[in-house]
Amino acid sequence: MKRHLANPGATQALYDRLHFSQATRAGDLIWVSGQTGIDATTLTPAAGMEAQARLAFDGVRNVLEAAGACLRDIVELTTFHTDLRGDMPAFARVKDEYLTDRYPSWTAVGVSQLALPGLLVEIRAVAVAGSGT
């Protein structure tokens, strides 16, 4: 079984500079690196949990598509929150817009900080290509 890396579009620069892949696929298994709510045009965190969660889920979707899968193929979701209790209702609303059925296993973790100041959430996922259909 060979390992394939998925670094769509501009994320290849992150791979080259920071030495990590947005996703790694081995067989049908795909591990997606943490995606955050950074606005691609300004490279700053979006304002508020809902906006950041949407950008992070968009990132997960884009990386999965580059790896040959989709959001319905997610079997495990891990989310990291700087205000776990306070932001959970807003995050859960957005999550349910992206993951509408066949819900994956999910672990939510409260953390004191993320990679950049202002980030509120980071989402990582494990998917099995083709399992969501």
Side-chain angles (χ1 to χ4, degrees):
M1 179 180 323
K2 291 186 178 184
R3 180 173 68 162
H4 302 278
L5 306 180
N7 293 293
T11 65
Q12 182 65 40
L14 288 174
Y15 177 79
D16 295 337
R17 190 174 88 233
L18 300 176
H19 307 140
F20 76 93
S21 184
Q22 296 300 305
T24 302
R25 179 173 177 161
D28 289 337
L29 289 174
I30 303 165
W31 293 265
V32 178
S33 294
Q35 301 295 305
T36 61
I38 294 178
D39 184 310
T41 58
T42 64
L43 299 179
T44 58
M49 172 53 76
E50 288 193 21
Q52 285 196 26
R54 281 190 180 87
L55 287 172
F57 273 110
D58 287 343
V60 170
R61 180 181 56 220
N62 293 340
V63 170
L64 283 172
E65 287 174 358
C70 66
L71 290 172
R72 290 179 56 90
D73 293 329
I74 294 173
V75 296
E76 181 182 22
L77 192 69
T78 306
T79 58
F80 303 91
H81 305 259
T82 58
D83 185 3
L84 182 61
R85 291 186 185 104
D87 285 337
M88 189 52 67
F91 178 81
R93 280 191 301 274
V94 174
K95 178 186 69 66
D96 288 347
E97 292 173 16
Y98 286 83
L99 305 175
T100 59
D101 63 359
R102 297 176 53 111
Y103 305 110
S105 301
W106 175 30
T107 301
V109 180
V111 297
S112 62
Q113 62 184 348
L114 292 167
L116 296 173
L119 285 175
L120 304 173
V121 66
E122 184 166 340
I123 303 170
R124 70 171 303 279
V126 178
V128 178
S131 69
T133 56

